[in-house]
Amino acid sequence: MRTDENRPPTPQPALYTRQLQDNALALGPRKRPSGQDPYVGHGRHFGRTIHALCRVKAVINNGLFIQEKIDLNGQSLEDLLAEYAAPDSFTVTAQQYAIFEQLTKLTPNLRETIFTSSEEEVARIADLLQKGANGARSDDTKSLKGAVIEWITPKGQALTPPLTRNVKIDRGYHHERTGSLLCPTGLNWQDSDIKEKLRSGELLVSGDEWPVFVYHEYTYDPEDPWNGAFRSLLLVKAFKHVFTSPSSVDKDPKATRSGNARLHDMISVTPASIAYIATQVRFSLCSSSIFSRTDNVTDSERFYSSVLETFMDPEENDEVNKLVDWWNRQIFPGHLRNSERLVNKDSALARIKARRAQRKALRDAQFN
């Protein structure tokens, strides 16, 4: 007699862990093969589109701190931010918390992971995100250093004296072309006295004095500072270079690899991405060779912060929304928020569908 011990085990139903995926028949983005940790890749996108110069570990720590207070004490976010934004105290601003919220939405599971993991694991994730953000900034700085020279050189002409792609010492206010683009909107580059003081360093420019190159056709309207602001062709070229592909700058895509925007399913420009590109272009025009947040001459961090804070100011929402819509028309024309696609009733597809509907109606009528 066979015992239960000798009886072959009854097959058990398989445990399926796969999840259904949408758009199985749609061509997805070509994923660039990479051996890097996924969090590094997410960090690269975070730095370019959410915040380029923050300390990720501090952002996560402060965000968790505020969220725990909300969950445990039932305090409102407004009350907590007011409490921790008091003078002479540890500050957590609404902007910081907004960046934390955007960070936790980088991937579907990142928020849950951050809230449920140990401090050591959260610190590890923060370090990887920081590594990605720093790496992207460094790569883009190197890439734009040479490209920007081509963009600021008039077609069919040459800069005098010439500027090389790999050397920056002659850029900045030392060169007529880069100096005219970097000149703050409140100064007149054509004034020889101003020009000489800028070149000698007698006149230092603060990062919150925006240069004329951020304006459409490099023209600043003192009566309407938003007119043309951050709408220059130079910025558009740089944005395409970083986010879509270098070959897309001249509207002739030849790249064999997906651009950064498509790799991260980016279908809309963010205000932070505009600030990031403006900061990168500003640095590429300067004579400084190393991007440093503590460089008081270039003052890149103050420039970036002043632009981003302006974009995040609720009082500027209308202007910023118009700006983002303008940018989406330049970069993502197929994904505009307020756009409508033309519905042509006489198109081939529309006529095929109409005939199909007529045949179906006749068949239905015969059976009824």
Side-chain angles (χ1 to χ4, degrees), residues 14 19 42 79 113 115 134 150 169 225 264 292 349 362:
Q19 300 293 323
H42 296 317
D79 290 343
T113 301
F115 276 92
N134 294 346
E150 298 178 8
I169 192 171
H264 295 278
S292 173
L349 179 59
L362 287 174

Side-chain angles (χ1 to χ4, degrees), residues 337-357:
R337 289 186 308 175
N338 300 321
S339 65
E340 294 184 2
R341 290 191 181 274
L342 178 65
V343 179
N344 188 350
K345 296 181 179 179
D346 293 325
S347 70
L349 179 59
R351 287 182 174 275
I352 289 174
K353 289 183 176 181
R355 291 181 61 183
R356 184 193 310 157

Side-chain angles (χ1 to χ4, degrees), residues 53 204-209 279 282-283 286 288 291-306:
L53 302 177
L204 287 178
V205 177
S206 172
D208 54 10
E209 296 186 55
T279 303
R282 181 176 178 271
F283 180 76
C286 292
S288 297
F291 190 106
S292 173
R293 59 191 305 166
T294 59
D295 183 355
N296 292 327
V297 176
T298 306
D299 211 13
S300 295
E301 184 172 15
R302 181 177 295 187
F303 172 76
Y304 177 79
S305 297
S306 70

Side-chain angles (χ1 to χ4, degrees), residues 204-229:
L204 287 178
V205 177
S206 172
D208 54 10
E209 296 186 55
W210 295 348
V212 72
F213 80 78
V214 304
Y215 282 86
H216 177 63
E217 296 186 348
Y218 314 136
T219 302
Y220 167 66
D221 180 1
E223 300 301 322
D224 184 6
W226 270 110
N227 183 20

Side-chain angles (χ1 to χ4, degrees), residues 129-151:
L129 292 170
Q130 189 77 67
K131 178 182 178 182
N134 294 346
R137 186 176 69 247
S138 177
D139 290 345
D140 295 339
T141 298
K142 294 176 184 176
S143 180
L144 289 169
K145 180 169 66 173
V148 76
I149 299 302
E150 298 178 8
W151 302 332

Side-chain angles (χ1 to χ4, degrees), residues 259-303:
N260 292 309
R262 194 174 186 195
L263 286 172
H264 295 278
D265 299 322
M266 181 182 180
I267 60 174
S268 176
V269 170
T270 66
S273 63
I274 303 172
Y276 174 77
I277 291 299
T279 303
Q280 286 283 9
V281 171
R282 181 176 178 271
F283 180 76
S284 69
L285 294 171
C286 292
S287 58
S288 297
S289 58
I290 299 176
F291 190 106
S292 173
R293 59 191 305 166
T294 59
D295 183 355
N296 292 327
V297 176
T298 306
D299 211 13
S300 295
E301 184 172 15
R302 181 177 295 187
F303 172 76

Side-chain angles (χ1 to χ4, degrees), residues 4 23-24 40 50 65 67 77 91 105 117 205 234 261 266 356:
D4 290 342
N23 301 322
V40 175
I50 298 177
F65 178 86
Q67 192 62 53
L77 176 61
T91 61
K105 297 174 183 177
S117 297
V205 177
L234 181 57
M266 181 182 180
R356 184 193 310 157

